[in-house]
Amino acid sequence: MTRPALILGHLLYLAVVALLVLSIPPGALGHVSDGLIVVGVVGTWRYGWALVNYLRAVFYQRLAYPRLKARALAAHAASPVYGHAYFLVTSYKIDTDTTRRVYHALFRAAAAAKGGATIVASVVDTSDLRLIQGIRAQMDVPMDGVELVVDQIPGTGKRDALARSLRLIGRRAPSQRDILLLVDGDSCVPEDIVAASAPFFTDPSVGALTTDEAVEIKPSLFADWFALRFTQRQMMMCSMGLSGRVLTLTGRMSVFRASLATQPEFIRLVQHDHIDHWRLGRVDFLTGDDKSTWFWLLQRGYRMLYLPDVTSLSMETQPKPGFVDSAVTLMIRWFGNMLRTNGRALALGPRRIGLFTWWSILDQKLGIWTTLAGPISVALAVLFVEPLVLPAYIAWVMATRYVFCWVLATVRGRGFPITYPMLLYFGQIVGAAVKSYVLFRLDRQRWTRQSTALAASPAIGERLRAIGSTYVHILALGWLTFGIMLLSGLV
Protein backbone atom coordinates (compact mmCIF):
# COMPACT_ATOMS: atom_id res chain seq x y z
CA MET A 1 0.00 0.00 0.00
CA THR A 2 1.36 3.45 -0.91
CA ARG A 3 2.01 6.02 1.78
CA PRO A 4 -0.77 8.43 0.62
CA ALA A 5 -3.28 5.55 0.62
CA LEU A 6 -2.12 4.54 4.11
CA ILE A 7 -2.53 8.09 5.42
CA LEU A 8 -5.95 8.40 3.78
CA GLY A 9 -7.06 5.14 5.42
CA HIS A 10 -6.06 6.44 8.85
CA LEU A 11 -7.86 9.76 8.28
CA LEU A 12 -11.06 8.02 7.17
CA TYR A 13 -10.87 5.74 10.19
CA LEU A 14 -10.57 8.68 12.58
CA ALA A 15 -13.39 10.46 10.77
CA VAL A 16 -15.70 7.48 11.39
CA VAL A 17 -14.80 7.57 15.10
CA ALA A 18 -15.60 11.28 15.22
CA LEU A 19 -18.94 10.79 13.42
CA LEU A 20 -19.95 8.07 15.84
CA VAL A 21 -19.17 10.29 18.81
CA LEU A 22 -21.04 13.25 17.29
CA SER A 23 -24.08 11.09 16.55
CA ILE A 24 -24.73 10.71 20.29
CA PRO A 25 -26.68 13.65 21.78
CA PRO A 26 -25.00 15.33 24.77
CA GLY A 27 -26.08 13.73 28.05
CA ALA A 28 -27.84 10.87 26.30
CA LEU A 29 -25.81 8.22 28.09
CA GLY A 30 -25.68 9.75 31.55
CA HIS A 31 -28.27 7.34 32.93
CA VAL A 32 -26.52 4.19 31.72
CA SER A 33 -23.18 4.66 33.46
CA ASP A 34 -24.02 2.01 36.07
CA GLY A 35 -24.92 -0.44 33.32
CA LEU A 36 -21.48 -0.08 31.75
CA ILE A 37 -19.46 -0.52 34.92
CA VAL A 38 -18.30 -3.93 33.74
CA VAL A 39 -16.86 -2.43 30.55
CA GLY A 40 -14.91 0.11 32.58
CA VAL A 41 -13.57 -2.37 35.10
CA VAL A 42 -12.64 -4.94 32.47
CA GLY A 43 -11.09 -2.29 30.23
CA THR A 44 -8.96 -0.98 33.10
CA TRP A 45 -7.80 -4.49 33.95
CA ARG A 46 -7.04 -5.61 30.38
CA TYR A 47 -5.28 -2.44 29.30
CA GLY A 48 -3.44 -2.21 32.61
CA TRP A 49 -2.11 -5.72 32.06
CA ALA A 50 -1.19 -4.85 28.46
CA LEU A 51 0.69 -1.76 29.70
CA VAL A 52 2.64 -3.84 32.20
CA ASN A 53 3.69 -6.25 29.47
CA TYR A 54 4.58 -3.41 27.09
CA LEU A 55 6.81 -1.70 29.67
CA ARG A 56 8.49 -5.00 30.49
CA ALA A 57 9.02 -5.67 26.77
CA VAL A 58 10.64 -2.27 26.21
CA PHE A 59 12.92 -2.75 29.23
CA TYR A 60 13.91 -6.21 28.00
CA GLN A 61 14.64 -5.10 24.43
CA ARG A 62 16.61 -1.99 25.35
CA LEU A 63 18.39 -2.92 28.59
CA ALA A 64 18.04 -6.46 29.91
CA TYR A 65 18.55 -8.41 26.69
CA PRO A 66 21.66 -6.50 25.48
CA ARG A 67 23.30 -7.18 28.86
CA LEU A 68 22.25 -10.84 28.80
CA LYS A 69 23.61 -11.20 25.27
CA ALA A 70 26.91 -9.50 26.11
CA ARG A 71 27.50 -11.87 29.06
CA ALA A 72 26.64 -14.90 26.92
CA LEU A 73 28.97 -13.86 24.10
CA ALA A 74 31.81 -13.22 26.53
CA ALA A 75 31.38 -16.63 28.19
CA HIS A 76 31.17 -18.36 24.81
CA ALA A 77 34.30 -16.60 23.53
CA ALA A 78 36.19 -17.87 26.57
CA SER A 79 35.19 -21.49 25.86
CA PRO A 80 37.97 -23.52 24.21
CA VAL A 81 35.59 -25.91 22.37
CA TYR A 82 32.57 -25.22 20.19
CA GLY A 83 29.52 -27.43 20.61
CA HIS A 84 27.99 -29.48 17.81
CA ALA A 85 24.68 -28.35 16.30
CA TYR A 86 21.90 -30.82 15.53
CA PHE A 87 19.01 -29.79 13.28
CA LEU A 88 15.85 -31.91 13.43
CA VAL A 89 13.45 -31.04 10.62
CA THR A 90 10.00 -32.57 10.09
CA SER A 91 8.50 -32.39 6.60
CA TYR A 92 5.05 -33.58 5.63
CA LYS A 93 2.99 -32.45 2.63
CA ILE A 94 5.21 -29.42 2.03
CA ASP A 95 5.38 -28.12 -1.53
CA THR A 96 8.66 -28.53 -3.44
CA ASP A 97 9.52 -24.82 -3.69
CA THR A 98 9.12 -24.35 0.07
CA THR A 99 11.21 -27.46 0.81
CA ARG A 100 13.98 -26.15 -1.44
CA ARG A 101 14.07 -22.82 0.37
CA VAL A 102 13.92 -24.43 3.81
CA TYR A 103 16.80 -26.82 3.16
CA HIS A 104 18.93 -24.24 1.38
CA ALA A 105 18.67 -22.15 4.56
CA LEU A 106 19.34 -25.19 6.77
CA PHE A 107 22.44 -26.28 4.87
CA ARG A 108 23.85 -22.75 4.95
CA ALA A 109 23.22 -22.47 8.69
CA ALA A 110 24.74 -25.92 9.28
CA ALA A 111 27.81 -25.07 7.18
CA ALA A 112 28.34 -21.92 9.26
CA ALA A 113 28.36 -23.90 12.56
CA LYS A 114 31.95 -23.80 13.83
CA GLY A 115 31.58 -27.01 15.84
CA GLY A 116 30.10 -28.97 12.94
CA ALA A 117 26.48 -29.89 12.34
CA THR A 118 24.15 -32.82 11.75
CA ILE A 119 20.85 -32.41 9.93
CA VAL A 120 18.25 -35.09 10.64
CA ALA A 121 15.46 -34.80 8.08
CA SER A 122 12.32 -36.67 9.12
CA VAL A 123 10.30 -37.35 5.96
CA VAL A 124 7.44 -39.60 4.84
CA ASP A 125 7.63 -39.42 1.05
CA THR A 126 10.53 -40.86 -0.95
CA SER A 127 10.31 -37.82 -3.25
CA ASP A 128 11.27 -35.59 -0.29
CA LEU A 129 14.25 -37.85 0.46
CA ARG A 130 15.57 -37.48 -3.09
CA LEU A 131 14.85 -33.76 -3.18
CA ILE A 132 16.79 -33.09 0.06
CA GLN A 133 19.77 -35.17 -1.06
CA GLY A 134 19.76 -33.29 -4.37
CA ILE A 135 19.71 -29.90 -2.61
CA ARG A 136 22.76 -30.87 -0.56
CA ALA A 137 24.65 -31.96 -3.66
CA GLN A 138 24.01 -28.58 -5.30
CA MET A 139 25.01 -26.36 -2.36
CA ASP A 140 27.58 -23.67 -3.18
CA VAL A 141 29.11 -23.59 0.32
CA PRO A 142 31.58 -26.11 1.83
CA MET A 143 29.64 -29.01 3.35
CA ASP A 144 32.56 -30.99 4.80
CA GLY A 145 31.46 -30.43 8.41
CA VAL A 146 27.78 -31.19 7.75
CA GLU A 147 26.27 -34.66 8.04
CA LEU A 148 22.85 -35.33 6.52
CA VAL A 149 20.68 -38.12 7.94
CA VAL A 150 17.35 -38.70 6.21
CA ASP A 151 14.96 -40.58 8.49
CA GLN A 152 12.08 -41.89 6.39
CA ILE A 153 9.12 -42.87 8.55
CA PRO A 154 5.44 -43.87 8.29
CA GLY A 155 3.04 -40.93 8.34
CA THR A 156 1.72 -41.56 11.86
CA GLY A 157 2.04 -37.98 13.08
CA LYS A 158 4.56 -35.35 14.04
CA ARG A 159 4.98 -36.58 17.61
CA ASP A 160 6.06 -40.04 16.46
CA ALA A 161 8.42 -38.46 13.94
CA LEU A 162 10.03 -36.23 16.57
CA ALA A 163 10.41 -39.08 19.06
CA ARG A 164 12.07 -41.40 16.55
CA SER A 165 14.52 -38.75 15.33
CA LEU A 166 15.31 -37.60 18.88
CA ARG A 167 16.21 -41.17 19.79
CA LEU A 168 18.43 -41.32 16.72
CA ILE A 169 20.26 -38.18 17.87
CA GLY A 170 20.37 -39.47 21.45
CA ARG A 171 22.37 -42.50 20.34
CA ARG A 172 25.13 -40.07 19.41
CA ALA A 173 25.38 -38.97 23.06
CA PRO A 174 25.34 -35.16 22.63
CA SER A 175 27.31 -33.21 25.21
CA GLN A 176 26.24 -30.34 27.46
CA ARG A 177 27.72 -27.90 24.91
CA ASP A 178 25.72 -29.22 21.96
CA ILE A 179 22.49 -27.63 20.80
CA LEU A 180 19.48 -29.08 19.00
CA LEU A 181 17.21 -27.05 16.74
CA LEU A 182 13.65 -28.31 16.16
CA VAL A 183 12.48 -26.86 12.85
CA ASP A 184 9.22 -27.19 10.94
CA GLY A 185 9.40 -28.09 7.27
CA ASP A 186 7.98 -24.70 6.24
CA SER A 187 10.38 -22.50 8.24
CA CYS A 188 13.71 -21.00 7.18
CA VAL A 189 16.37 -20.52 9.85
CA PRO A 190 18.77 -17.56 9.67
CA GLU A 191 22.27 -18.43 8.48
CA ASP A 192 23.85 -17.32 11.77
CA ILE A 193 21.38 -19.16 14.01
CA VAL A 194 24.05 -21.36 15.65
CA ALA A 195 26.37 -18.43 16.40
CA ALA A 196 23.40 -16.39 17.66
CA SER A 197 21.94 -19.05 19.96
CA ALA A 198 24.83 -21.25 21.18
CA PRO A 199 26.37 -18.59 23.51
CA PHE A 200 23.27 -18.54 25.72
CA PHE A 201 23.73 -22.23 26.56
CA THR A 202 26.97 -21.48 28.40
CA ASP A 203 24.60 -20.83 31.31
CA PRO A 204 23.77 -24.31 32.68
CA SER A 205 20.33 -23.12 33.84
CA VAL A 206 19.21 -22.47 30.25
CA GLY A 207 17.29 -25.37 28.73
CA ALA A 208 15.96 -23.81 25.53
CA LEU A 209 15.26 -20.60 23.68
CA THR A 210 13.05 -19.33 20.89
CA THR A 211 13.27 -16.37 18.54
CA ASP A 212 11.27 -13.73 16.74
CA GLU A 213 9.27 -14.83 13.69
CA ALA A 214 8.43 -13.33 10.34
CA VAL A 215 5.84 -14.69 7.94
CA GLU A 216 5.74 -14.87 4.16
CA ILE A 217 2.21 -15.07 2.84
CA LYS A 218 0.18 -13.74 -0.07
CA PRO A 219 -1.03 -10.17 0.71
CA SER A 220 -4.55 -10.32 2.10
CA LEU A 221 -6.60 -9.61 5.21
CA PHE A 222 -5.36 -12.96 6.52
CA ALA A 223 -1.76 -11.82 5.98
CA ASP A 224 -2.44 -8.61 7.94
CA TRP A 225 -3.93 -10.66 10.78
CA PHE A 226 -0.88 -12.93 10.85
CA ALA A 227 1.52 -9.98 10.87
CA LEU A 228 -0.44 -8.36 13.72
CA ARG A 229 -0.26 -11.58 15.72
CA PHE A 230 3.50 -11.73 15.29
CA THR A 231 3.81 -8.13 16.48
CA GLN A 232 1.76 -9.00 19.58
CA ARG A 233 3.90 -12.11 19.99
CA GLN A 234 7.09 -10.03 19.94
CA MET A 235 5.78 -7.83 22.74
CA MET A 236 4.58 -10.70 24.93
CA MET A 237 7.68 -12.82 24.34
CA CYS A 238 9.94 -9.90 25.30
CA SER A 239 7.89 -9.36 28.45
CA MET A 240 8.14 -13.03 29.41
CA GLY A 241 11.80 -13.08 28.40
CA LEU A 242 12.46 -10.66 31.25
CA SER A 243 11.44 -13.46 33.65
CA GLY A 244 13.57 -16.03 31.83
CA ARG A 245 10.57 -18.24 31.05
CA VAL A 246 8.66 -17.79 27.81
CA LEU A 247 5.16 -19.28 27.62
CA THR A 248 5.84 -21.50 24.61
CA LEU A 249 8.78 -22.93 22.69
CA THR A 250 7.50 -22.24 19.23
CA GLY A 251 7.20 -25.34 17.08
CA ARG A 252 8.29 -23.52 13.93
CA MET A 253 11.82 -23.11 15.28
CA SER A 254 13.24 -23.37 18.78
CA VAL A 255 16.68 -24.29 20.13
CA PHE A 256 17.28 -26.81 22.95
CA ARG A 257 20.23 -28.04 24.95
CA ALA A 258 20.75 -31.31 23.06
CA SER A 259 21.61 -33.35 26.15
CA LEU A 260 18.19 -32.47 27.65
CA ALA A 261 16.13 -32.94 24.49
CA THR A 262 17.47 -36.46 24.05
CA GLN A 263 16.71 -37.68 27.54
CA PRO A 264 14.28 -40.64 27.55
CA GLU A 265 11.74 -38.80 29.75
CA PHE A 266 11.73 -35.81 27.39
CA ILE A 267 11.19 -38.02 24.36
CA ARG A 268 8.43 -40.02 26.07
CA LEU A 269 6.52 -36.84 26.88
CA VAL A 270 6.87 -35.59 23.31
CA GLN A 271 5.54 -38.87 21.92
CA HIS A 272 2.89 -39.81 24.50
CA ASP A 273 1.87 -36.61 26.28
CA HIS A 274 -1.61 -36.56 27.84
CA ILE A 275 -3.76 -35.16 30.62
CA ASP A 276 -6.38 -36.84 32.79
CA HIS A 277 -9.52 -34.72 32.74
CA TRP A 278 -12.26 -35.04 35.38
CA ARG A 279 -15.01 -35.21 32.74
CA LEU A 280 -13.31 -36.21 29.50
CA GLY A 281 -11.03 -38.87 30.95
CA ARG A 282 -7.59 -39.40 29.44
CA VAL A 283 -6.89 -36.92 26.65
CA ASP A 284 -3.92 -37.94 24.52
CA PHE A 285 -2.16 -35.00 22.86
CA LEU A 286 -2.13 -35.13 19.09
CA THR A 287 -0.96 -31.57 18.43
CA GLY A 288 1.05 -29.16 20.60
CA ASP A 289 4.47 -30.81 20.80
CA ASP A 290 5.90 -27.33 21.47
CA LYS A 291 3.82 -27.12 24.67
CA SER A 292 5.01 -30.58 25.75
CA THR A 293 8.68 -29.64 25.38
CA TRP A 294 8.00 -26.36 27.19
CA PHE A 295 6.24 -28.05 30.09
CA TRP A 296 9.02 -30.64 30.54
CA LEU A 297 11.60 -27.89 30.95
CA LEU A 298 9.30 -25.68 33.08
CA GLN A 299 8.59 -28.57 35.43
CA ARG A 300 12.32 -29.10 35.97
CA GLY A 301 13.15 -25.45 36.58
CA TYR A 302 15.10 -24.66 33.41
CA ARG A 303 15.17 -21.17 31.99
CA MET A 304 13.70 -20.62 28.52
CA LEU A 305 14.93 -17.47 26.84
CA TYR A 306 13.79 -15.22 24.01
CA LEU A 307 16.04 -13.68 21.36
CA PRO A 308 14.20 -10.64 19.92
CA ASP A 309 16.96 -9.82 17.41
CA VAL A 310 17.04 -13.25 15.73
CA THR A 311 14.26 -14.02 13.24
CA SER A 312 13.10 -17.19 11.52
CA LEU A 313 10.90 -17.02 8.42
CA SER A 314 7.78 -19.16 7.97
CA MET A 315 5.97 -19.72 4.70
CA GLU A 316 2.27 -19.73 5.48
CA THR A 317 -0.82 -20.52 3.43
CA GLN A 318 -4.42 -19.77 4.24
CA PRO A 319 -5.96 -23.10 5.37
CA LYS A 320 -9.55 -22.24 4.32
CA PRO A 321 -11.00 -20.11 1.50
CA GLY A 322 -12.50 -17.51 3.88
CA PHE A 323 -10.65 -15.29 6.35
CA VAL A 324 -12.88 -16.09 9.35
CA ASP A 325 -12.83 -19.85 8.69
CA SER A 326 -9.04 -19.80 8.37
CA ALA A 327 -8.51 -17.75 11.52
CA VAL A 328 -10.88 -19.87 13.61
CA THR A 329 -9.30 -23.11 12.33
CA LEU A 330 -5.87 -21.97 13.48
CA MET A 331 -7.21 -20.56 16.77
CA ILE A 332 -8.82 -23.89 17.65
CA ARG A 333 -5.47 -25.64 17.24
CA TRP A 334 -3.36 -22.96 18.95
CA PHE A 335 -5.67 -22.39 21.91
CA GLY A 336 -6.35 -26.09 22.35
CA ASN A 337 -2.62 -26.70 22.73
CA MET A 338 -2.40 -23.85 25.22
CA LEU A 339 -5.37 -24.85 27.37
CA ARG A 340 -4.50 -28.55 27.50
CA THR A 341 -1.21 -27.61 29.17
CA ASN A 342 -2.41 -24.58 31.14
CA GLY A 343 -3.86 -26.43 34.16
CA ARG A 344 -0.85 -28.59 34.93
CA ALA A 345 1.49 -25.60 34.51
CA LEU A 346 -0.59 -23.63 37.03
CA ALA A 347 -0.40 -26.57 39.42
CA LEU A 348 3.39 -26.14 39.62
CA GLY A 349 2.76 -22.99 41.69
CA PRO A 350 4.32 -19.50 41.75
CA ARG A 351 7.19 -20.49 44.03
CA ARG A 352 8.38 -23.08 41.55
CA ILE A 353 8.03 -21.18 38.28
CA GLY A 354 8.01 -17.56 39.42
CA LEU A 355 5.09 -15.29 40.32
CA PHE A 356 4.94 -13.37 37.04
CA THR A 357 5.11 -16.51 34.92
CA TRP A 358 2.44 -18.19 37.07
CA TRP A 359 0.15 -15.16 36.90
CA SER A 360 0.61 -14.92 33.12
CA ILE A 361 -0.48 -18.54 32.76
CA LEU A 362 -3.48 -17.88 35.01
CA ASP A 363 -4.37 -14.83 32.92
CA GLN A 364 -4.66 -17.08 29.85
CA LYS A 365 -7.80 -18.51 31.46
CA LEU A 366 -9.07 -15.37 33.20
CA GLY A 367 -8.70 -13.45 29.95
CA ILE A 368 -11.34 -15.61 28.31
CA TRP A 369 -14.08 -14.38 30.61
CA THR A 370 -12.92 -10.80 31.13
CA THR A 371 -12.73 -10.32 27.36
CA LEU A 372 -16.22 -11.74 26.76
CA ALA A 373 -17.66 -9.70 29.64
CA GLY A 374 -17.30 -6.41 27.72
CA PRO A 375 -19.47 -7.17 24.67
CA ILE A 376 -21.99 -9.09 26.79
CA SER A 377 -22.35 -6.07 29.07
CA VAL A 378 -22.86 -3.78 26.08
CA ALA A 379 -25.41 -6.13 24.49
CA LEU A 380 -27.41 -6.15 27.72
CA ALA A 381 -27.27 -2.35 27.98
CA VAL A 382 -28.43 -1.95 24.36
CA LEU A 383 -31.33 -4.37 24.84
CA PHE A 384 -32.57 -3.23 28.24
CA VAL A 385 -31.35 0.31 28.84
CA GLU A 386 -30.31 2.52 25.91
CA PRO A 387 -29.73 1.66 22.19
CA LEU A 388 -27.31 4.60 21.84
CA VAL A 389 -24.82 2.56 23.87
CA LEU A 390 -24.02 0.68 20.65
CA PRO A 391 -22.48 3.57 18.64
CA ALA A 392 -20.68 4.72 21.80
CA TYR A 393 -19.20 1.26 22.24
CA ILE A 394 -18.17 1.02 18.59
CA ALA A 395 -16.43 4.40 18.88
CA TRP A 396 -14.73 3.23 22.10
CA VAL A 397 -13.53 0.03 20.44
CA MET A 398 -12.22 1.85 17.39
CA ALA A 399 -10.43 4.51 19.43
CA THR A 400 -8.84 2.24 22.03
CA ARG A 401 -7.68 -0.37 19.50
CA TYR A 402 -6.26 2.37 17.30
CA VAL A 403 -4.19 3.75 20.18
CA PHE A 404 -3.09 0.25 21.18
CA CYS A 405 -1.97 -0.48 17.61
CA TRP A 406 0.29 2.59 17.74
CA VAL A 407 1.73 1.27 20.99
CA LEU A 408 2.34 -2.11 19.35
CA ALA A 409 3.91 -0.35 16.36
CA THR A 410 6.73 0.91 18.58
CA VAL A 411 7.73 -2.72 19.22
CA ARG A 412 8.61 -3.11 15.54
CA GLY A 413 9.49 0.52 14.89
CA ARG A 414 7.14 0.94 11.94
CA GLY A 415 3.56 1.92 11.13
CA PHE A 416 0.58 -0.30 10.50
CA PRO A 417 -2.26 -0.69 7.97
CA ILE A 418 -5.65 0.58 9.06
CA THR A 419 -6.96 -2.99 9.10
CA TYR A 420 -5.03 -3.62 12.33
CA PRO A 421 -7.43 -2.06 14.91
CA MET A 422 -10.44 -4.09 13.77
CA LEU A 423 -8.29 -7.22 13.35
CA LEU A 424 -7.08 -6.66 16.91
CA TYR A 425 -10.66 -6.54 18.16
CA PHE A 426 -11.56 -9.58 16.07
CA GLY A 427 -8.64 -11.49 17.56
CA GLN A 428 -9.64 -10.51 21.09
CA ILE A 429 -13.38 -11.26 20.92
CA VAL A 430 -13.43 -14.19 18.51
CA GLY A 431 -10.27 -15.53 20.15
CA ALA A 432 -11.95 -15.45 23.57
CA ALA A 433 -15.04 -17.14 22.16
CA VAL A 434 -12.92 -19.88 20.58
CA LYS A 435 -10.99 -20.34 23.83
CA SER A 436 -14.24 -20.74 25.76
CA TYR A 437 -15.37 -23.33 23.20
CA VAL A 438 -12.10 -25.26 23.35
CA LEU A 439 -11.87 -25.07 27.15
CA PHE A 440 -14.82 -27.44 27.44
CA ARG A 441 -13.74 -29.63 24.52
CA LEU A 442 -10.08 -30.36 25.20
CA ASP A 443 -10.44 -33.76 23.55
CA ARG A 444 -11.16 -32.15 20.14
CA GLN A 445 -7.94 -31.68 18.17
CA ARG A 446 -6.65 -31.98 14.63
CA TRP A 447 -3.60 -30.90 12.62
CA THR A 448 -4.26 -28.20 10.04
CA ARG A 449 -2.14 -29.93 7.37
CA GLN A 450 -2.60 -33.56 8.36
CA SER A 451 -5.82 -35.54 8.36
CA THR A 452 -4.63 -37.35 11.48
CA ALA A 453 -7.00 -37.01 14.44
CA LEU A 454 -7.71 -38.80 17.69
CA ALA A 455 -9.50 -42.10 17.22
CA ALA A 456 -13.23 -41.74 17.62
CA SER A 457 -14.84 -43.21 20.70
CA PRO A 458 -17.97 -45.40 20.49
CA ALA A 459 -20.87 -43.37 19.13
CA ILE A 460 -22.89 -43.23 22.37
CA GLY A 461 -19.92 -42.22 24.52
CA GLU A 462 -18.89 -39.59 21.98
CA ARG A 463 -22.39 -38.10 21.91
CA LEU A 464 -22.68 -38.05 25.69
CA ARG A 465 -19.35 -36.23 25.96
CA ALA A 466 -20.42 -33.74 23.29
CA ILE A 467 -23.71 -33.10 25.12
CA GLY A 468 -21.86 -32.70 28.41
CA SER A 469 -19.39 -30.25 26.83
CA THR A 470 -22.20 -28.17 25.38
CA TYR A 471 -24.07 -28.17 28.70
CA VAL A 472 -21.15 -26.97 30.84
CA HIS A 473 -20.18 -24.40 28.20
CA ILE A 474 -23.68 -22.91 28.13
CA LEU A 475 -23.83 -23.04 31.92
CA ALA A 476 -20.55 -21.11 32.23
CA LEU A 477 -21.70 -18.45 29.78
CA GLY A 478 -25.03 -18.23 31.61
CA TRP A 479 -23.35 -17.62 34.96
CA LEU A 480 -21.05 -15.04 33.37
CA THR A 481 -24.07 -13.19 31.93
CA PHE A 482 -25.92 -13.37 35.26
CA GLY A 483 -22.90 -11.98 37.11
CA ILE A 484 -22.64 -9.11 34.63
CA MET A 485 -26.32 -8.33 35.13
CA LEU A 486 -25.81 -8.22 38.90
CA LEU A 487 -22.81 -5.93 38.66
CA SER A 488 -24.61 -3.69 36.16
CA GLY A 489 -27.72 -3.37 38.34
CA LEU A 490 -29.99 -4.97 35.75
CA VAL A 491 -31.29 -7.52 38.27
Side-chain angles (χ1 to χ4, degrees):
M1 183 179 290
T2 63
R3 184 173 178 80
L6 188 66
I7 294 173
L8 179 61
H10 282 257
L11 290 175
L12 289 173
Y13 184 95
L14 294 173
V16 171
V17 175
L19 286 173
L20 285 169
V21 172
L22 293 174
S23 70
I24 304 169
L29 299 179
H31 62 292
V32 299
S33 57
D34 291 343
L36 296 177
I37 188 172
V38 174
V39 175
V41 172
V42 169
T44 301
W45 181 354
R46 298 315 308 167
Y47 282 101
W49 178 240
L51 179 63
V52 167
N53 280 290
Y54 172 74
L55 294 175
R56 285 172 56 90
V58 170
F59 182 80
Y60 182 73
Q61 280 185 302
R62 297 182 182 179
L63 293 174
Y65 175 70
R67 294 172 184 172
L68 176 68
K69 183 177 180 179
R71 290 196 301 268
L73 290 172
H76 193 247
S79 176
V81 180
Y82 289 105
H84 192 78
Y86 295 91
F87 294 78
L88 198 174
V89 194
T90 53
S91 297
Y92 182 74
K93 291 188 177 181
I94 307 291
D95 66 88
T96 300
D97 289 340
T98 298
T99 299
R100 286 187 182 278
R101 291 182 60 186
V102 166
Y103 278 89
H104 269 291
L106 280 167
F107 284 128
R108 286 189 173 278
K114 293 183 179 180
T118 299
I119 295 177
V120 178
S122 177
V123 302
V124 174
D125 299 326
T126 301
S127 59
D128 283 338
L129 183 153
R130 293 171 180 164
L131 176 61
I132 293 165
Q133 290 175 334
I135 295 170
R136 179 197 164 97
Q138 297 170 6
M139 290 301 296
D140 58 357
V141 294
M143 300 295 293
D144 298 340
V146 179
E147 179 185 6
L148 172 64
V149 179
V150 181
D151 187 20
Q152 190 171 9
I153 62 168
T156 56
K158 185 180 178 184
R159 285 181 176 271
D160 287 342
L162 287 172
R164 174 167 159 161
S165 294
L166 285 171
R167 291 189 182 100
L168 187 155
I169 295 171
R171 288 195 288 271
R172 298 172 179 237
S175 73
Q176 288 284 332
R177 296 186 303 271
D178 299 341
I179 61 173
L180 189 154
L181 293 90
L182 296 184
V183 186
D184 267 357
D186 58 359
S187 298
C188 293
V189 300
E191 188 170 343
D192 63 346
I193 184 60
V194 175
S197 57
F200 293 92
F201 290 91
T202 55
D203 181 348
S205 69
V206 174
L209 59 83
T210 194
T211 69
D212 189 14
E213 290 185 48
V215 62
E216 184 177 292
I217 189 172
K218 183 179 178 181
S220 62
L221 189 64
F222 185 74
D224 286 350
W225 178 68
F226 236 105
L228 173 61
R229 285 192 61 84
F230 278 167
T231 301
Q232 292 176 278
R233 176 186 182 276
Q234 176 79 335
M235 185 188 81
M236 290 304 299
M237 283 288 200
C238 286
S239 174
M240 300 309 303
L242 189 60
S243 298
R245 288 189 176 92
V246 295
L247 294 187
T248 187
L249 292 170
T250 308
R252 289 184 178 90
M253 199 283 290
S254 290
V255 188
F256 296 79
R257 190 180 298 277
S259 58
L260 295 177
T262 52
Q263 288 190 14
E265 297 85 357
F266 183 96
I267 297 172
R268 275 197 294 270
L269 191 69
V270 168
Q271 187 171 18
H272 300 298
D273 200 3
H274 74 280
I275 56 171
D276 293 308
H277 191 271
W278 68 273
R279 182 173 55 84
L280 301 171
R282 178 184 170 109
V283 178
D284 292 310
F285 289 9
L286 173 63
T287 62
D289 54 274
D290 52 340
K291 299 299 285 188
S292 298
T293 57
W294 169 81
F295 179 72
W296 191 90
L297 293 169
L298 182 74
Q299 189 178 39
R300 287 157 179 79
Y302 286 101
R303 296 174 69 207
M304 292 170 278
L305 306 181
Y306 183 63
L307 311 189
D309 59 348
V310 180
T311 306
S312 66
L313 175 67
S314 298
M315 275 71 75
E316 292 288 342
T317 56
Q318 192 167 320
K320 301 282 186 179
F323 163 69
V324 174
D325 286 347
S326 297
V328 170
T329 296
L330 292 175
M331 285 179 179
I332 288 174
R333 196 185 87 214
W334 294 338
F335 299 150
N337 296 338
M338 177 190 77
L339 292 169
R340 276 185 285 274
T341 302
N342 183 284
R344 60 183 181 177
L346 276 176
L348 296 176
R351 289 187 179 181
R352 192 167 177 181
I353 65 176
L355 180 59
F356 190 83
T357 302
W358 183 85
W359 177 259
S360 298
I361 296 169
L362 177 63
D363 184 70
Q364 290 177 337
K365 278 189 176 177
L366 294 178
I368 299 172
W369 311 111
T370 55
T371 301
L372 291 176
I376 291 174
S377 175
V378 169
L380 292 172
V382 169
L383 288 172
F384 300 112
V385 183
E386 174 58 69
L388 286 175
V389 167
L390 184 58
Y393 179 67
I394 295 173
W396 161 259
V397 167
M398 292 180 69
T400 53
R401 272 58 178 186
Y402 185 77
V403 171
F404 189 58
C405 283
W406 274 114
V407 173
L408 282 175
T410 64
V411 174
R412 295 289 192 196
R414 56 177 181 262
F416 60 90
I418 201 56
T419 55
Y420 271 24
M422 289 298 98
L423 288 174
L424 179 63
Y425 183 71
F426 169 84
Q428 291 169 338
I429 302 304
V430 176
V434 170
K435 286 177 187 175
S436 74
Y437 175 86
V438 171
L439 181 63
F440 299 104
R441 298 165 181 85
L442 296 177
D443 54 330
R444 301 283 294 275
Q445 50 188 310
R446 182 182 292 274
W447 283 110
T448 307
R449 184 177 291 115
Q450 289 181 228
S451 58
T452 310
L454 287 179
S457 300
I460 295 178
E462 184 74 16
R463 290 172 184 170
L464 287 175
R465 268 198 297 274
I467 292 171
S469 297
T470 301
Y471 171 73
V472 293
H473 188 192
I474 292 173
L475 187 65
L477 291 174
W479 278 112
L480 175 65
T481 303
F482 180 68
I484 292 169
M485 293 176 74
L486 283 176
L487 290 172
S488 302
L490 295 176
V491 293

